[in-house]
Amino acid sequence: MEGKRSLPFCRVSLVGREMEYVNEAIRRGRLSSDGDFCRRCETLLSEMLGGAAVLMTGSCTAALELAASVLELGPGDEVIMPSFTFVSTANAVCRLGAHPRFVDVRPDTMNIDETLIEAAINEKTKAIFPVHYAGVGCEPETIISQSETHGLHVVEDSAQGIGARFNGKPLGTFGAMAAFSFHDQKNVSCGEGGALVVNDRRYLEKAHIVRDKGTNRKAFFDGATSFYSWVDIGSAYALSNLAAAFLLGQLEKTVEITQEQIAIYDQYMNGLAPLAEEGMIELPTVPDRAEHNGHITFFFVRNRSLRDDLLGYLKAMGVPAVFHYVPLHSSPYGQRLGYTARDLPVTEELASRLIRMPMFIGMRSDQIEFVVTAIYDFFGVKRPH
Ligand SMILES: Cc1ncc(COP(=O)(O)O)c(C=O)c1O
C-alpha cells in the first residue's frame, strides 16, 4: 500500500484544460472579474442549468449573501433552513438582521424534512433556504409548492449540488435563486469560487448591482447607460478571471468528474454494506428521484463516543476521516439566537454520530479499500470476500 500516510481528505486535481486557460488569462493580462473566462463559466453553467442566468461569485458564501441582499431580508424576517448545514447558509440571513428558523432533517438524507416546513411558516417567514446535502436533492418540488402556497422565496443552497438532478431537473434550477460552491472540497473546484443562479429574472438586475459594489456597471458595459455610478448598497462579490480560467477547465469535465465521484461513492458503499447488514453502522439512502453526484460519502455509527473512537483509530491508521457539521442551532451562536440542543432532536442525534470519509478525484481503488478495511478492523469484523 503506497503512501497510506499521505492520503488526503480531499484534493484538487487537474482534469482538463485548467493550465492552458490559466496561462491564457495571464498572457492576455486580464485577471479581474471583467475577464473573458468569467463570462465563459457563466455561459457554460447556464447551458448546464437549462438557460438560467448565472453570475460568478468569489464563493458560495458570497452568492448566498448576494441572494439574501437581493431579497432585501432584514430585521423581523424569518428564513426557514436546516440547522445541519455549513455556517454560510445562516450567516447570509443573520448578517442582515433576519432570523434563521431551523427545521429538523430527514434521517435518510440529512436534508431538511419537508414535512416539517409547513408548521414552521408564520407571518414573519419570508424565504426558505433548503440545502442539497451531499448533492442529493432535498425534495425541491414539494418545497417549491409549499413556497408558492405561502408566497415565499426559495434560495437553494446548492453548494454541493453541481452535476446532480432531482426528477430529471438539475439542482439549482428549482428556486428563485440558487448558490453553488467551487471550493477545494467540492466536486468541481477553483480553490475559492461560487456562482449565483438567478432563475427568476425579476432579481437579475439587482443581483448584478449588488455583486458589482452597488453600481450599475453591468448596464454600462451593456451600453444601456453612458456612465456607471453608485445606485444601491453592494459589495465585491465577483470571481476573479484567474480563478474562472481554472474553473472553466474543471466545469467542462463535470460529467466525467461526477462519474468518478459516483464510482468512488459506490465502491465505499458496496464495501461497507456487509458491515451495515451486521448492524455495526447505518448507510444513508438516496431517494429514487434524486440523481446524486457522489459528493460526500458518509455513514452513521451507534453513538457519539463510538464516532470519536473510530475517528481516532482511523487517524492513527493514516485515514483523515472527519465529522461535520456541528448543528447550527446548538452551536454557541445558535444558542445566542435562542435555540437549545433539544429543539431539533433528529439533527442533534444524527450529526453526533456521522462520519465522512476522504474522497477526491484520482482516489485509487486500493486507497478506498484501505479505508474500508480499516473500518472493519476497528469493529473487529472480518471483511467478506
Ligand atoms: C451547504 C454549504 N453551503 C455553503 C457553503 C459555503 O461555500 P464556500 O466555501 O464556497 O463559501 C458550503 C461549503 O462547504 C456548504 O457545504
Side-chain angles (χ1 to χ4, degrees), residues 217-236:
R217 208 157 169 270
K218 168 89 167 64
F220 170 71
F221 281 118
D222 289 348
T225 170
S226 53
F227 62 95
Y228 75 86
S229 63
W230 187 21
V231 295
D232 206 335
I233 297 171
S235 193

Side-chain angles (χ1 to χ4, degrees), residues 57-64 84-90 130-134 157-160 179-186 191-195 295-296 324-325 356:
T57 58
S59 61
C60 180
T61 303
L64 289 165
F84 185 76
T85 180
F86 193 63
V87 287
S88 301
T89 326
V131 177
H132 303 298
Y133 177 64
D157 183 335
S158 197
Q160 307 174 7
F180 282 92
S181 173
F182 302 114
H183 179 267
D184 264 7
Q185 287 193 10
K186 301 301 181 290
E192 302 279 355
H295 176 56
I296 293 178
H324 82 162
Y325 303 100
R356 181 179 173 187

